Amino acid sequence: MTSAPAYDPQNIFGKILRGELPCVKVFEDDVALAFMDIFPRVDGHTLVVPKIPARGLLDFPASALGPFMERVQRVAAAVKSGMKADGLTIQQFNESAGGQMVFHLHFHILPRHEGAPLMPPGVAGANAEIETYADKIRRAFA
Ligand code: AMP
């Protein structure tokens, strides 16, 4: 077993959190930011990242998990409602061996429709479509 490297603030999501890179935002408060995945595995694929810098689940402070997971749940509810989904797939990867590519803790929220498969990885979504889904999700926050 190898120990994880230290958090690198130059990761893409760190840059998005600091406003150095753009994102299509659907939710933000003092705890978390949620924005659209630009390589969506389904229409409405959304990411939720905590504002506290952490590489993955294991180096995130346990005392902050409750507030952060409450935001994950809130975004998940808006994604399901806004996308009129039948269900949700929620994913969280840790380290390369676990499938992680961006090393700032994040949860994937994937709205699922009965019988509809995931799209292949690594295919960029159309900007206009992503904006349309983001609008639906934003409107679903109570
Ligand atoms: P992973 O680290 O494997 O959980 O996946 C990182 C996710 O971030 C992938 O689904 C990418 O499509 C997504 N991604 C990478 N760069 C960006 C970006 N600039 N904006 C939004 N999503 C991104």
Side-chain angles (χ1 to χ4, degrees), residues 32-61:
L33 172 70
F35 54 91
M36 305 307 288
D37 196 306
I38 55 173
F39 296 96
R41 301 297 308 278
V42 288
D43 293 343
H45 184 167
T46 303
L47 301 168
V48 191
V49 306
K51 295 220 165 156
I52 292 175
R55 213 176 141 82
L57 188 64
L58 300 185
D59 62 327
F60 190 78

Side-chain angles (χ1 to χ4, degrees), residues 7-136:
Y7 179 81
D8 176 2
Q10 294 311 316
N11 73 81
I12 293 170
F13 296 166
K15 291 182 178 178
I16 288 175
L17 282 165
R18 293 192 298 274
E20 296 166 13
L21 285 176
C23 71
V24 180
K25 187 193 300 186
V26 295
F27 170 86
E28 182 171 21
D29 69 1
D30 56 328
V31 171
L33 172 70
F35 54 91
M36 305 307 288
D37 196 306
I38 55 173
F39 296 96
R41 301 297 308 278
V42 288
D43 293 343
H45 184 167
T46 303
L47 301 168
V48 191
V49 306
K51 295 220 165 156
I52 292 175
R55 213 176 141 82
L57 188 64
L58 300 185
D59 62 327
F60 190 78
S63 60
L65 269 176
F68 175 57
M69 290 309 296
E70 192 269 334
R71 272 56 172 197
V72 173
Q73 184 188 51
R74 205 188 303 176
V75 174
V79 169
K80 183 168 184 286
S81 162
M83 294 302 295
K84 298 190 176 5
D86 301 311
L88 293 170
T89 300
I90 297 180
Q91 297 176 314
Q92 192 275 314
F93 304 116
N94 294 274
E95 299 305 324
S96 303
Q100 188 176 13
M101 293 184 298
V102 178
F103 297 98
H104 182 114
L105 175 63
H106 55 279
F107 280 74
H108 296 255
I109 312 289
L110 302 162
R112 305 301 302 274
H113 293 88
E114 213 61 65
L118 295 181
M119 299 188 286
V123 180
N127 287 345
E129 280 185 20
I130 289 175
E131 290 286 355
T132 300
Y133 302 135
D135 270 349
K136 291 178 191 284

